[in-house]
Amino acid sequence: MRYGVWGRPFTISQVLALPALFLAASGPAAAEDPAPLKGEVVVTSTSTGTARLTHPGNVAKIPEREIDFVKADHYSELLNRAPGVYIHRNNGQESLVSIRSPVLSGGAGAGSFLYLEDGVPTRAAGFANVNALFESITETAGGIEIIRGPGSARYGSNAVHGLINVLSPEPEAGFSGVSDVWVGPHGLFHNTNTASVSWQDGEASHGLLGSLVFAEDDGFRAASGFGQQKAQLRYDYSKGADDIFFTLSSHNLNQETASFVQGPTAFRDDALRKGNANPEAFRDAWAVRAALHWTRELNENWSFNVTPYARENRLRFALHFLPGGAIEENGHWSVGVQNSLIHETDDGHTIILGGDVEYTEGYLREDQEGPAVFSFVQGTHYDYTVDATVLAPYLHTVWALGERTELTAGVRLEHTIYEYDNRTATGVTGRFRRAADRRDTFTDVTPKLGLAHTFSDEITGFVNWKRAARAPQTTDLYRLQANQVAGEVESEKLDSLEVGARGTWGTLEYEAAAYYMKKKNFFFRDSDGFNVTDGRTKHYGVELDVFTPLIAGFDFGASASYAVHEYDFNRTVATSPQSNNIQEGTDVDGAPRTLANARLGYVFWDGRARSELEWVHVGDYYTNPANSVRYAGHDIFNFRIEADVREDLSLYARVTNLADKRYAERADFGFGNERYFPGEDRALHVGASVRF
């Protein structure tokens, strides 16, 4: 196993001397009752802070206390608690995401979801990565907000099916810190550390917070371990009319990757599910980001926000899921700035005039050292650079139509320019086409319109129509296949209609939503790995999120969704197996219709302990476009318990997959075979949290 930056080895155990860990039951943060919906604020839509109860659209929030209690080894354990969200954990820290969508891969999986850190995208829009969530520092986050479907006018490309905003924690008053460590089977070791200090200097307030995350795991499958390190520094400053915070974040991952197991129900075969047909597969990733958020109050009615930022990402990995097993290297660096001028009128209206500017330089190289396999030929497949410029003015407004009714209207214009430079021979080699140098531009206009009405202090209803669009990923445009023509890929567009309600009913808090969406110019890969550039799909469903305290220290929380994701066009491929044929009205592959996550919590020991029994349900779904192969779905149970045994010490334990069920984290069909990433056996994790 490789640890360290780009393979320079070290072991966490040589760096840290940490206490031994034992079982028990929940810390004070876990034992607290969840904050009521009334008074809770979300920041993702506008950055200015909006009361969640009256937010004009769906929004799920995973608060810091829940993040601390779950202590996720993989971010899917947190995010799958939200309605309409299903994240496949493939291997190690990899994933594929669905938010009001099928589970998408390739350019579709990279470009359909927007991942943010304090409102700033973690990657440039045209250079996204299906696994980009492993770069986010979810382990020590101050909260996570999820919007399903298109984002507000504040966000452009990639906020198509949804967005996830990971919020950095704020420095606390005085001096404080916490160190969490937990261990599990097959050498799993996880350590998070946070220290915070705040002080006053005359009229100025200062705060400083640092976070470090270390993880290593040998993997429950052969040659599937990883080492991962994350760090974040946040500095806050406030004086008079100015509020500033600065973040510097970094991430490193060195992973050995286990490939699919192949064959009908191979995920149930113990010999296959713990093996690895591609022990040479790996993934090395590195990223660093910096952002300065400055808000100035000009007067009682006017303020402005400006956020300059910079980022760099690098990735090197084996394409083990394709014949030939080529090695890909890619990366990009960006600089940009987000600006907004905010006017809040005396009669309750809000007008936000904003603009985003970003410049990116990126590269991609793909080489196959081994001999040809089918049309996957030996040698260089691609070698190119892309310079990208994005200019995006937008307008977001909120109009008070009365004491209880608000109209939200906005529009965003996004102009994207790609300058592509081919650094290898132009033409076709095997299935790969290398286009000549070219310049491509895309201009997308995305209007938004919504209405929110507060029927009473207990319920708010909302209805929204939104259009989302994304310029093509650079890989969509320039990683061409032999059957493609350069320049044929267009911006993907999605129209969404949503109606919902949020509120309280006695002690029950809830959010319910229904939606209908249609998408065109859907770019995806079929089960033989060939690109389809002009697909169309439709999506409709209902979602529910609830929480209520019960009697005798018990509480109950759940999210559930029923959704249909269908192809909206016909496709017959004469040279391909019938498994790739598409008929209008059939399910998109990788799209379970039912998802659910339910938690029964229990607070005991005079409020010093909490336990939780969790049920995770994934319904059946088809794994190929023709709907001829199906995965039956699964139900998994997990148990967590944590206890504050002293003022400065909590102990923690959890058992995942209580029933030791054989299931697939991901079921797939590719190149004529049923393929699976198997789920892990029953596992015990124990840990401790030390506060100072």
Side-chain angles (χ1 to χ4, degrees):
M1 190 185 303
R2 303 174 310 282
Y3 301 114
V5 178
W6 290 98
R8 292 195 290 273
F10 67 82
T11 31
I12 304 291
S13 56
Q14 293 172 331
V15 179
L16 300 173
L18 295 167
L21 309 172
F22 299 92
L23 168 69
S26 141
E32 293 176 358
D33 291 332
L37 182 61
K38 296 177 181 179
E40 191 172 25
V41 173
V42 292
V43 298
T44 297
S45 291
T46 64
S47 81
T48 59
T50 303
R52 187 184 171 203
L53 179 62
T54 57
H55 183 269
N58 79 80
V59 60
K61 185 164 185 175
I62 301 174
E64 185 174 9
R65 64 184 173 277
E66 189 170 354
I67 296 170
D68 291 342
F69 178 63
V70 172
K71 290 182 174 59
D73 289 320
H74 189 273
Y75 40 87
S76 62
E77 298 168 48
L78 275 172
L79 300 175
N80 286 349
R81 295 160 78 97
V85 177
Y86 175 38
I87 297 178
H88 281 174
R89 180 178 183 175
N90 294 352
N91 180 78
Q93 290 298 298
E94 299 174 1
S95 65
L96 290 175
V97 175
S98 77
I99 305 175
R100 284 192 179 175
S101 72
V103 174
L104 299 172
S105 60
S112 297
F113 313 104
L114 185 61
Y115 308 130
L116 307 165
E117 183 176 78
D118 295 315
V120 177
T122 58
R123 283 178 160 256
F127 302 82
N129 176 10
V130 290
N131 292 295
L133 272 172
F134 62 43
E135 298 169 354
S136 296
I137 308 178
T138 55
E139 296 88 344
T140 57
I144 302 172
E145 295 180 0
I146 304 168
I147 292 178
R148 288 106 58 198
S152 69
R154 184 185 173 200
Y155 303 108
S157 279
N158 295 29
V160 177
H161 278 283
L163 61 90
I164 298 172
N165 190 12
V166 179
L167 307 174
S168 60
E170 298 180 9
E172 298 182 358
F175 175 77
S176 63
V178 61
S179 180
D180 287 295
V181 61
W182 63 94
V183 297
H186 42 76
L188 185 144
F189 172 88
H190 212 121
N191 171 235
T192 66
N193 306 274
T194 301
S196 171
V197 62
S198 298
W199 69 96
Q200 197 77 22
D201 181 13
E203 296 181 358
S205 299
H206 304 264
L208 188 64
L209 183 143
S211 300
L212 291 171
V213 178
F214 301 95
E216 60 181 52
D217 186 354
D218 293 333
F220 84 97
R221 300 180 61 195
S224 65
F226 70 85
Q228 185 178 43
Q229 308 85 41
K230 301 179 184 181
Q232 186 174 66
L233 180 69
R234 171 167 169 159
Y235 169 69
D236 285 32
Y237 171 86
S238 178
K239 182 180 180 180
D242 295 310
D243 287 299
I244 297 172
F245 75 91
F246 169 79
T247 56
L248 177 64
S249 306
S250 64
H251 160 266
N252 183 73
L253 174 68
N254 302 104
Q255 175 177 300
E256 297 170 317
T257 301
S259 60
F260 288 105
V261 295
Q262 299 193 16
T265 66
F267 60 90
R268 294 197 181 107
D269 187 309
D270 282 338
L272 292 175
R273 63 194 300 273
K274 294 190 177 181
N276 182 5
N278 296 98
E280 76 286 353
F282 70 94
R283 184 178 296 272
D284 291 333
W286 172 88
V288 62
R289 302 180 295 275
L292 177 70
H293 304 256
W294 177 26
T295 300
R296 164 161 280 198
E297 300 291 337
L298 301 176
N299 56 43
E300 291 183 356
N301 300 108
W302 291 88
S303 63
F304 76 81
N305 295 330
V306 58
T307 304
Y309 60 89
R311 65 168 88 88
E312 185 171 3
N313 301 270
R314 299 177 192 170
L315 177 64
R316 184 172 185 266
F317 68 107
L319 298 166
H320 64 91
F321 44 85
L322 296 176
I327 303 296
E328 178 183 323
E329 296 183 49
N330 68 65
H332 71 274
W333 67 265
S334 303
V335 291
V337 61
Q338 298 175 334
N339 304 276
S340 61
L341 180 65
I342 303 164
H343 179 49
E344 296 181 342
T345 69
D346 293 332
D347 48 1
H349 308 315
T350 301
I351 301 172
I352 303 175
L353 180 62
D356 301 337
V357 179
E358 183 174 277
Y359 175 76
T360 303
E361 292 185 3
Y363 67 90
L364 182 144
R365 182 181 177 93
E366 181 182 316
D367 295 285
Q368 181 173 320
E369 294 184 0
V373 180
F374 308 122
S375 56
F376 294 82
V377 296
Q378 189 176 41
T380 297
H381 297 165
Y382 305 102
D383 186 2
Y384 63 77
T385 64
V386 182
D387 297 344
T389 303
V390 178
L391 307 171
Y394 68 88
L395 176 68
H396 179 90
T397 63
V398 180
W399 305 95
L401 303 184
E403 291 185 3
R404 293 182 174 271
T405 306
E406 288 185 342
L407 174 70
T408 300
V411 63
R412 182 183 181 94
L413 185 150
E414 188 161 288
H415 184 63
T416 303
I417 305 168
Y418 292 138
E419 300 279 356
Y420 159 79
D421 179 22
N422 180 34
R423 301 193 299 187
T424 189
T426 300
V428 174
T429 175
R431 74 158 54 196
F432 311 103
R433 179 183 296 276
R434 286 87 66 100
D437 297 353
R438 56 183 292 120
R439 183 177 191 267
D440 293 284
T441 62
F442 302 88
T443 301
D444 297 301
V445 178
T446 51
K448 326 279 183 178
L449 186 65
L451 190 69
H453 180 73
T454 302
F455 293 95
S456 68
D457 291 341
E458 285 73 39
I459 180 171
T460 296
F462 54 86
V463 59
N464 290 288
W465 172 78
K466 297 180 181 180
R467 170 166 290 175
R470 68 170 181 92
Q473 295 291 293
T474 53
T475 51
D476 296 348
L477 288 169
Y478 309 122
R479 197 178 189 171
L480 300 173
Q481 297 176 346
N483 60 341
Q484 290 184 259
V485 177
E488 68 178 346
V489 182
E490 300 180 27
S491 291
E492 189 173 285
K493 293 182 172 62
L494 179 144
D495 286 299
S496 170
L497 180 64
E498 173 188 51
V499 60
R502 180 187 302 109
T504 59
W505 183 29
T507 60
L508 176 74
E509 298 179 359
Y510 66 89
E511 178 180 282
Y515 64 90
Y516 180 82
M517 306 188 301
K518 294 196 73 169
K519 183 167 64 172
K520 65 179 181 179
N521 301 328
F522 174 38
F523 185 103
F524 66 99
R525 291 179 186 167
D526 66 18
S527 60
D528 278 338
F530 284 107
N531 293 334
V532 180
T533 63
D534 57 352
R536 295 185 303 277
T537 57
K538 59 184 177 182
H539 316 260
Y540 51 94
V542 292
E543 299 163 342
L544 180 65
D545 193 12
V546 299
F547 175 82
T548 185
L550 302 173
I551 60 172
F554 286 94
D555 57 69
F556 177 77
S559 65
S561 64
Y562 177 83
V564 178
H565 307 284
E566 295 179 343
Y567 288 111
D568 201 25
F569 73 115
N570 295 306
R571 176 177 184 253
T572 301
V573 186
T575 59
S576 180
Q578 290 185 355
S579 59
N580 276 318
N581 291 341
I582 293 172
Q583 184 176 346
E584 183 177 349
T586 56
D587 283 10
V588 180
D589 38 303
R593 292 197 172 191
T594 57
L595 296 170
N597 182 292
R599 289 90 57 191
L600 179 64
Y602 178 49
V603 177
F604 58 103
W605 198 12
D606 296 327
R608 296 166 59 191
R610 178 177 177 82
S611 63
E612 177 187 271
L613 178 64
E614 178 185 38
W615 168 51
V616 180
H617 166 75
V618 176
D620 65 306
Y621 57 91
Y622 294 106
T623 61
N624 64 347
N627 288 187
S628 60
V629 183
R630 190 182 70 168
Y631 171 64
H634 59 259
D635 295 277
I636 301 299
F637 293 90
N638 305 309
F639 178 75
R640 300 178 179 90
I641 186 168
E642 191 177 9
D644 182 16
V645 296
R646 287 187 353 189
E647 185 176 340
D648 59 354
L649 176 66
S650 298
L651 299 180
Y652 167 85
R654 65 187 163 113
V655 181
T656 54
N657 192 6
L658 271 170
D660 202 24
K661 186 178 180 65
R662 298 294 178 260
Y663 72 102
E665 286 277 3
R666 170 168 169 74
D668 186 46
F669 188 89
F671 304 98
N673 294 305
E674 295 181 44
R675 312 187 301 181
Y676 304 93
F677 284 120
E680 188 174 349
D681 308 345
R682 179 171 49 230
L684 171 66
H685 304 72
V686 296
S689 176
V690 179
R691 297 176 291 278
F692 53 89

Short mmCIF file of all heavy atoms in Angstrom, two decimals, residues 155-186:
data_model
loop_
_atom_site.label_atom_id
_atom_site.label_comp_id
_atom_site.label_asym_id
_atom_site.label_seq_id
_atom_site.Cartn_x
_atom_site.Cartn_y
_atom_site.Cartn_z
N TYR A 155 -25.80 29.59 -9.18
CA TYR A 155 -24.95 28.51 -9.65
C TYR A 155 -25.25 28.19 -11.11
O TYR A 155 -26.39 28.23 -11.56
CB TYR A 155 -25.15 27.26 -8.79
CG TYR A 155 -24.87 27.53 -7.33
CD1 TYR A 155 -25.91 27.60 -6.41
CD2 TYR A 155 -23.58 27.76 -6.88
CE1 TYR A 155 -25.66 27.85 -5.07
CE2 TYR A 155 -23.32 28.03 -5.55
CZ TYR A 155 -24.36 28.08 -4.66
OH TYR A 155 -24.10 28.35 -3.34
N GLY A 156 -24.21 27.79 -11.83
CA GLY A 156 -24.35 27.51 -13.25
C GLY A 156 -24.06 26.07 -13.58
O GLY A 156 -24.67 25.15 -13.03
N SER A 157 -23.10 25.84 -14.50
CA SER A 157 -22.79 24.51 -14.98
C SER A 157 -22.57 23.53 -13.84
O SER A 157 -21.97 23.86 -12.81
CB SER A 157 -21.54 24.54 -15.86
OG SER A 157 -21.86 24.96 -17.17
N ASN A 158 -23.08 22.33 -14.03
CA ASN A 158 -22.99 21.17 -13.14
C ASN A 158 -24.05 21.17 -12.04
O ASN A 158 -24.29 20.12 -11.45
CB ASN A 158 -21.60 21.02 -12.51
CG ASN A 158 -20.52 20.72 -13.53
OD1 ASN A 158 -20.63 21.13 -14.68
ND2 ASN A 158 -19.48 20.03 -13.12
N ALA A 159 -24.72 22.28 -11.76
CA ALA A 159 -25.83 22.25 -10.79
C ALA A 159 -27.10 21.85 -11.54
O ALA A 159 -28.07 22.58 -11.59
CB ALA A 159 -26.00 23.61 -10.13
N VAL A 160 -27.07 20.66 -12.16
CA VAL A 160 -28.17 20.18 -13.00
C VAL A 160 -29.11 19.30 -12.20
O VAL A 160 -30.27 19.64 -11.98
CB VAL A 160 -27.61 19.43 -14.23
CG1 VAL A 160 -28.76 18.86 -15.07
CG2 VAL A 160 -26.75 20.36 -15.08
N HIS A 161 -28.63 18.16 -11.74
CA HIS A 161 -29.46 17.26 -10.94
C HIS A 161 -29.38 17.57 -9.45
O HIS A 161 -30.20 17.07 -8.68
CB HIS A 161 -29.05 15.81 -11.19
CG HIS A 161 -29.65 15.23 -12.43
ND1 HIS A 161 -30.96 14.81 -12.50
CD2 HIS A 161 -29.12 15.01 -13.66
CE1 HIS A 161 -31.21 14.34 -13.71
NE2 HIS A 161 -30.11 14.45 -14.43
N GLY A 162 -28.39 18.34 -9.03
CA GLY A 162 -28.29 18.66 -7.61
C GLY A 162 -26.93 19.21 -7.25
O GLY A 162 -25.99 19.18 -8.04
N LEU A 163 -26.83 19.71 -6.02
CA LEU A 163 -25.56 20.23 -5.53
C LEU A 163 -25.40 19.89 -4.05
O LEU A 163 -26.37 19.75 -3.31
CB LEU A 163 -25.43 21.73 -5.78
CG LEU A 163 -26.43 22.68 -5.14
CD1 LEU A 163 -25.96 23.13 -3.76
CD2 LEU A 163 -26.65 23.90 -6.03
N ILE A 164 -24.13 19.76 -3.64
CA ILE A 164 -23.77 19.45 -2.27
C ILE A 164 -22.77 20.50 -1.81
O ILE A 164 -21.70 20.66 -2.42
CB ILE A 164 -23.16 18.03 -2.16
CG1 ILE A 164 -24.19 16.98 -2.58
CG2 ILE A 164 -22.67 17.76 -0.73
CD1 ILE A 164 -23.62 15.57 -2.70
N ASN A 165 -23.12 21.22 -0.76
CA ASN A 165 -22.28 22.29 -0.24
C ASN A 165 -21.76 21.87 1.14
O ASN A 165 -22.53 21.75 2.10
CB ASN A 165 -23.09 23.58 -0.13
CG ASN A 165 -22.23 24.80 0.17
OD1 ASN A 165 -21.00 24.74 0.09
ND2 ASN A 165 -22.87 25.89 0.52
N VAL A 166 -20.45 21.63 1.23
CA VAL A 166 -19.81 21.26 2.49
C VAL A 166 -19.31 22.53 3.16
O VAL A 166 -18.49 23.26 2.59
CB VAL A 166 -18.65 20.27 2.25
CG1 VAL A 166 -17.98 19.91 3.57
CG2 VAL A 166 -19.16 19.01 1.55
N LEU A 167 -19.82 22.82 4.35
CA LEU A 167 -19.52 24.06 5.04
C LEU A 167 -18.36 23.84 6.03
O LEU A 167 -18.38 22.90 6.82
CB LEU A 167 -20.74 24.55 5.81
CG LEU A 167 -22.03 24.69 4.96
CD1 LEU A 167 -23.21 25.06 5.85
CD2 LEU A 167 -21.84 25.73 3.86
N SER A 168 -17.38 24.71 5.98
CA SER A 168 -16.27 24.60 6.93
C SER A 168 -16.75 25.02 8.31
O SER A 168 -17.62 25.88 8.46
CB SER A 168 -15.10 25.49 6.48
OG SER A 168 -15.50 26.84 6.40
N PRO A 169 -16.21 24.41 9.36
CA PRO A 169 -16.64 24.77 10.72
C PRO A 169 -16.10 26.14 11.11
O PRO A 169 -15.00 26.54 10.70
CB PRO A 169 -16.03 23.67 11.58
CG PRO A 169 -14.84 23.20 10.81
CD PRO A 169 -15.20 23.34 9.36
N GLU A 170 -16.87 26.87 11.91
CA GLU A 170 -16.45 28.19 12.37
C GLU A 170 -15.63 28.06 13.66
O GLU A 170 -15.90 27.18 14.48
CB GLU A 170 -17.67 29.07 12.63
CG GLU A 170 -18.51 29.33 11.41
CD GLU A 170 -19.71 30.21 11.72
OE1 GLU A 170 -19.77 30.75 12.85
OE2 GLU A 170 -20.59 30.34 10.85
N PRO A 171 -14.63 28.92 13.85
CA PRO A 171 -13.89 28.91 15.12
C PRO A 171 -14.83 29.18 16.29
O PRO A 171 -15.75 29.98 16.19
CB PRO A 171 -12.88 30.05 14.94
CG PRO A 171 -12.75 30.23 13.46
CD PRO A 171 -14.10 29.91 12.89
N GLU A 172 -14.59 28.50 17.40
CA GLU A 172 -15.41 28.67 18.59
C GLU A 172 -14.80 29.72 19.51
O GLU A 172 -13.63 30.09 19.38
CB GLU A 172 -15.56 27.34 19.32
CG GLU A 172 -16.26 26.27 18.50
CD GLU A 172 -16.43 24.98 19.27
OE1 GLU A 172 -15.97 24.91 20.43
OE2 GLU A 172 -17.01 24.03 18.71
N ALA A 173 -15.60 30.22 20.45
CA ALA A 173 -15.12 31.21 21.41
C ALA A 173 -14.05 30.59 22.30
O ALA A 173 -14.14 29.42 22.70
CB ALA A 173 -16.28 31.72 22.25
N GLY A 174 -13.01 31.38 22.62
CA GLY A 174 -11.94 30.89 23.48
C GLY A 174 -11.07 29.88 22.77
O GLY A 174 -10.83 29.98 21.57
N PHE A 175 -10.62 28.88 23.50
CA PHE A 175 -9.77 27.83 22.94
C PHE A 175 -10.42 26.48 23.18
O PHE A 175 -10.88 26.18 24.28
CB PHE A 175 -8.38 27.85 23.58
CG PHE A 175 -7.50 26.72 23.12
CD1 PHE A 175 -6.90 26.77 21.87
CD2 PHE A 175 -7.30 25.60 23.92
CE1 PHE A 175 -6.09 25.71 21.43
CE2 PHE A 175 -6.50 24.56 23.49
CZ PHE A 175 -5.90 24.61 22.24
N SER A 176 -10.46 25.65 22.14
CA SER A 176 -11.04 24.32 22.28
C SER A 176 -10.45 23.41 21.21
O SER A 176 -9.86 23.87 20.23
CB SER A 176 -12.57 24.37 22.14
OG SER A 176 -12.93 24.81 20.84
N GLY A 177 -10.63 22.13 21.42
CA GLY A 177 -10.16 21.16 20.44
C GLY A 177 -10.77 19.80 20.69
O GLY A 177 -11.30 19.53 21.77
N VAL A 178 -10.70 18.97 19.69
CA VAL A 178 -11.22 17.60 19.81
C VAL A 178 -10.41 16.69 18.90
O VAL A 178 -10.00 17.09 17.80
CB VAL A 178 -12.73 17.54 19.46
CG1 VAL A 178 -12.97 17.98 18.03
CG2 VAL A 178 -13.28 16.15 19.70
N SER A 179 -10.13 15.50 19.37
CA SER A 179 -9.47 14.48 18.58
C SER A 179 -10.30 13.21 18.63
O SER A 179 -10.60 12.70 19.71
CB SER A 179 -8.06 14.21 19.11
OG SER A 179 -7.42 13.21 18.34
N ASP A 180 -10.70 12.73 17.46
CA ASP A 180 -11.48 11.49 17.34
C ASP A 180 -10.61 10.44 16.68
O ASP A 180 -9.91 10.72 15.70
CB ASP A 180 -12.73 11.71 16.47
CG ASP A 180 -13.79 12.52 17.18
OD1 ASP A 180 -14.32 12.04 18.19
OD2 ASP A 180 -14.08 13.63 16.71
N VAL A 181 -10.70 9.23 17.17
CA VAL A 181 -10.00 8.12 16.53
C VAL A 181 -10.87 6.88 16.63
O VAL A 181 -11.50 6.63 17.65
CB VAL A 181 -8.61 7.89 17.16
CG1 VAL A 181 -8.70 7.54 18.63
CG2 VAL A 181 -7.83 6.82 16.41
N TRP A 182 -10.95 6.14 15.53
CA TRP A 182 -11.67 4.87 15.56
C TRP A 182 -10.98 3.88 14.65
O TRP A 182 -10.27 4.25 13.72
CB TRP A 182 -13.15 5.03 15.22
CG TRP A 182 -13.52 5.52 13.86
CD1 TRP A 182 -13.82 4.78 12.75
CD2 TRP A 182 -13.69 6.89 13.46
NE1 TRP A 182 -14.16 5.59 11.69
CE2 TRP A 182 -14.09 6.89 12.10
CE3 TRP A 182 -13.54 8.12 14.12
CZ2 TRP A 182 -14.33 8.06 11.39
CZ3 TRP A 182 -13.78 9.28 13.41
CH2 TRP A 182 -14.17 9.24 12.07
N VAL A 183 -11.15 2.60 15.00
CA VAL A 183 -10.52 1.52 14.26
C VAL A 183 -11.58 0.50 13.90
O VAL A 183 -12.65 0.44 14.51
CB VAL A 183 -9.38 0.85 15.07
CG1 VAL A 183 -8.27 1.85 15.36
CG2 VAL A 183 -9.92 0.26 16.37
N GLY A 184 -11.26 -0.31 12.91
CA GLY A 184 -12.19 -1.33 12.46
C GLY A 184 -11.45 -2.51 11.86
O GLY A 184 -10.22 -2.64 12.01
N PRO A 185 -12.16 -3.37 11.15
CA PRO A 185 -11.53 -4.57 10.59
C PRO A 185 -10.55 -4.22 9.47
O PRO A 185 -10.49 -3.08 9.02
CB PRO A 185 -12.74 -5.35 10.06
CG PRO A 185 -13.76 -4.30 9.76
CD PRO A 185 -13.57 -3.23 10.81
N HIS A 186 -9.81 -5.23 9.02
CA HIS A 186 -8.82 -5.13 7.94
C HIS A 186 -7.96 -3.86 8.03
O HIS A 186 -7.76 -3.15 7.04
CB HIS A 186 -9.49 -5.26 6.56
CG HIS A 186 -10.78 -4.52 6.39
ND1 HIS A 186 -10.85 -3.16 6.22
CD2 HIS A 186 -12.06 -4.96 6.37
CE1 HIS A 186 -12.11 -2.78 6.10
NE2 HIS A 186 -12.87 -3.85 6.19
#
